[in-house]
Amino acid sequence: MSIDGGGAAVVVDDDGYDRSKEVKDFDDSKIGVKGLVDSGITSIPRFFVHPPESLPSISGPTTQSPISHDDHRIPIVDLSSVNSDCRSIIVDQINEASRTWGFFQIINHDISLDVIDRTISSIKAFNEQPTEIKSKYYTRDMERGVGFASNFDLFRSKAASWRDSLQLRMGPTPPDFDLIPEICRRELIEWDQQITRLGETLMGILCEGLGLKTDRLKEMTCLEGRTLASHYYPYCPQPDLTVGTKRHTDPGVLTVLLQDQIGGLQVKLGEDWVEVKPLAGALVINIGDILRVEQYYKDTKF
């Protein structure tokens, strides 16, 4: 049943479960999902439980389960010749992958393995600090450009995801660098610098694939708004009841995604969920909703 809580709807189930209170208590504690694990829980809080129909099946290749056959691997594009006479081949490969999949992996992108490893290690180190240290950064207010919380949509979602996230708004106005946790500050600033250069290269290629001049997206300031989101997925005592990240599309122009070697990332092709197996040194590129719209209007004949 619903109870009017002075302008806000508070939902209390017939069994007396008050989800709003449990969510608020969890958020007020500022311990995050990792803090729950560190406390020794053996079952997950109810608001993390997802309905069975939204969970991936593990019983074999159906429309709800991940498939990983050789003919269902997302394309891998080698950027080593991007500034050579072979650029047109790379443009065609990325254009085809973007239209067919909306995803592709890139290799030989000039971001070293050392930078990649240090970025991942620094995020891991931040999340594995004692709760009393991390809680100083716990906030949902991104006004200052830095936020650390469990599920930024915690109070809006029907079911929470099993993860903690550190988010930085790097552009157009970067945050005060002193607000970035010192344990990962240098690594994340360096990562943003590297990704900005790579993003300009990729957007140029995507423009050429759409038949636009190379700098079109840059002129539209699509490189200026940059958000760095790092997600940490701790051990879960009941992994069959929840997910690390819900199915979604990304709202921007493109996402450069760095995954570790553990795996778990899936993308949708038609009605199938396809596992994106980690490839050492590779980055996953996700075409965002804004570019999808641009692509649609370029392809549609009126």
Side-chain angles (χ1 to χ4, degrees):
M1 63 179 174
S2 295
I3 301 174
D4 186 355
V10 178
V11 178
V12 179
D13 292 345
D14 290 339
D15 62 1
Y17 173 66
D18 186 342
R19 183 184 187 278
S20 298
K21 183 180 185 303
E22 187 176 29
V23 167
K24 184 178 185 303
D25 289 346
F26 166 72
D27 196 55
D28 288 346
S29 73
K30 298 185 177 183
I31 66 172
V33 172
K34 180 62 163 57
L36 291 176
V37 176
D38 291 344
S39 72
I41 63 168
T42 56
S43 60
I44 65 176
R46 186 163 163 179
F47 62 89
F48 281 103
V49 177
H50 287 245
E53 63 271 15
S54 70
L55 296 169
S57 168
I58 57 173
S59 58
T62 69
T63 57
Q64 292 297 315
S65 63
I67 56 178
S68 56
H69 310 305
D70 288 344
D71 57 342
H72 284 93
R73 291 185 297 182
I74 71 170
I76 299 172
V77 180
D78 187 340
L79 294 186
S80 59
S81 302
V82 71
N83 294 315
S84 73
D85 293 340
C86 297
R87 183 180 176 92
S88 61
I89 297 175
I90 295 173
V91 169
D92 289 343
Q93 289 175 336
I94 288 181
N95 185 45
E96 177 63 23
S98 300
R99 294 174 185 275
T100 305
W101 284 80
F103 286 87
F104 54 94
Q105 293 200 73
I106 55 172
I107 58 174
N108 296 320
H109 40 65
D110 285 341
I111 299 179
S112 69
L113 277 174
D114 179 60
V115 170
I116 288 174
D117 290 344
R118 284 192 286 108
T119 300
I120 292 177
S121 295
S122 70
I123 292 299
K124 186 172 184 287
F126 168 77
N127 282 277
E128 294 182 354
Q129 294 179 110
T131 299
E132 56 268 23
I133 296 178
K134 290 186 296 179
S135 63
K136 299 175 184 177
Y137 298 96
Y138 196 98
T139 179
R140 297 185 181 281
D141 183 6
M142 285 296 296
E143 193 68 30
R144 300 191 303 170
V146 179
F148 169 63
S150 179
N151 289 255
F152 287 106
D153 62 346
L154 180 67
F155 292 92
R156 302 188 305 273
S157 63
K158 294 182 179 179
S161 298
W162 194 256
R163 72 166 190 269
D164 297 328
S165 303
L166 176 65
Q167 183 167 297
L168 280 62
R169 185 190 63 239
M170 304 304 293
T173 303
D176 182 338
F177 289 159
D178 289 339
L179 298 176
I180 304 173
E182 184 177 3
I183 196 170
C184 56
R185 183 184 303 153
R186 182 172 61 87
E187 290 80 4
L188 296 187
I189 292 172
E190 181 181 17
W191 180 255
D192 177 66
Q193 293 169 344
Q194 299 267 359
I195 288 300
T196 300
R197 290 194 291 269
L198 176 60
E200 184 170 356
T201 297
L202 290 171
M203 287 189 184
I205 293 172
L206 289 165
C207 284
E208 293 171 30
L210 288 169
L212 306 172
K213 63 179 183 179
T214 303
D215 291 338
R216 179 55 179 155
L217 287 172
K218 183 177 181 180
E219 291 171 352
M220 294 170 63
T221 69
C222 291
L223 274 167
E224 294 184 10
R226 303 186 312 282
T227 298
L228 192 162
S230 57
H231 304 304
Y232 181 83
Y233 308 95
Y235 162 79
C236 180
Q238 295 178 297
D240 55 326
L241 298 181
T242 191
V243 297
T245 297
K246 298 187 291 289
R247 61 188 69 181
H248 66 280
T249 60
D250 285 356
V253 175
L254 62 83
T255 298
V256 179
L257 190 154
L258 168 61
Q259 64 170 333
D260 59 21
Q261 296 303 301
I262 295 175
L265 176 66
Q266 298 172 19
V267 302
K268 196 172 187 182
L269 176 64
E271 294 302 316
D272 289 316
W273 286 97
V274 181
E275 180 182 358
V276 182
K277 292 185 176 181
L279 179 63
L283 299 173
V284 179
I285 309 302
N286 176 8
I287 302 301
D289 295 338
I290 291 177
L291 196 56
R292 281 288 192 182
V293 171
E294 175 71 18
Q295 186 180 79
Y296 171 80
Y297 280 109
K298 291 290 293 183
D299 291 345
T300 302
K301 305 298 182 181
F302 294 97

